[in-house]
Amino acid sequence: APWGVRVTPMLRHQAGQPWGRTFVARFNYGNIRVLAEPLDTRRQDNPTIVDFRAEKMFQLPRGRSVSGFLDLYNILNSNAEQNINWSSGSSFLRPLTIVPPRIVRFGAKFQW
């Protein structure tokens, strides 16, 4: 990039996790989770995440340097589920975790 700026884009495409529906069977010795479908019957969403970093370094005397950076995470604001509830019942298919939202971070690094 111009003016000595280092640009680092990153594209991640993750395959969704395979899963199958389950249910809980109650026995007199305890509860057991039982597969109602084979584990590879369904697949979660495939999230695509784009991250970006821009950094500019400035040289200081005696081999030292300082650099400023700007990080942008999840630029496309993907909100795909990373994990869902597989168990039959009222919470079936409820997201347990999703991709974190768009985040901007900036800062400085000193090297001596």
Side-chain angles (χ1 to χ4, degrees), residues 4 8 21 37 45 53 61 69 71 73 92 97 101 110:
T8 309
R21 189 176 196 144
E37 302 172 332
D45 293 341
R53 171 175 262 210
F69 62 88
D71 292 334
Y73 297 104
F92 180 62
T97 56
F110 299 97

Side-chain angles (χ1 to χ4, degrees), residues 20-87:
R21 189 176 196 144
T22 63
F23 65 92
V24 175
R26 289 177 175 75
F27 294 101
N28 48 352
Y29 55 84
N31 297 336
I32 296 178
R33 178 178 268 187
V34 179
L35 287 172
E37 302 172 332
L39 278 178
D40 60 351
T41 302
R42 305 175 192 212
R43 186 170 285 278
Q44 293 180 9
D45 293 341
N46 297 331
T48 300
I49 301 167
V50 179
D51 298 336
F52 176 83
R53 171 175 262 210
E55 184 174 4
K56 170 72 175 163
M57 182 184 294
F58 302 96
Q59 290 296 332
L60 299 175
R62 295 198 259 166
R64 298 178 180 164
S65 64
V66 62
S67 59
F69 62 88
L70 172 72
D71 292 334
L72 301 169
Y73 297 104
N74 195 10
I75 293 173
L76 302 177
N77 204 20
S78 169
N79 63 348
E81 298 97 0
Q82 290 182 317
N83 197 5
I84 58 173
N85 189 351
W86 306 351
S87 187

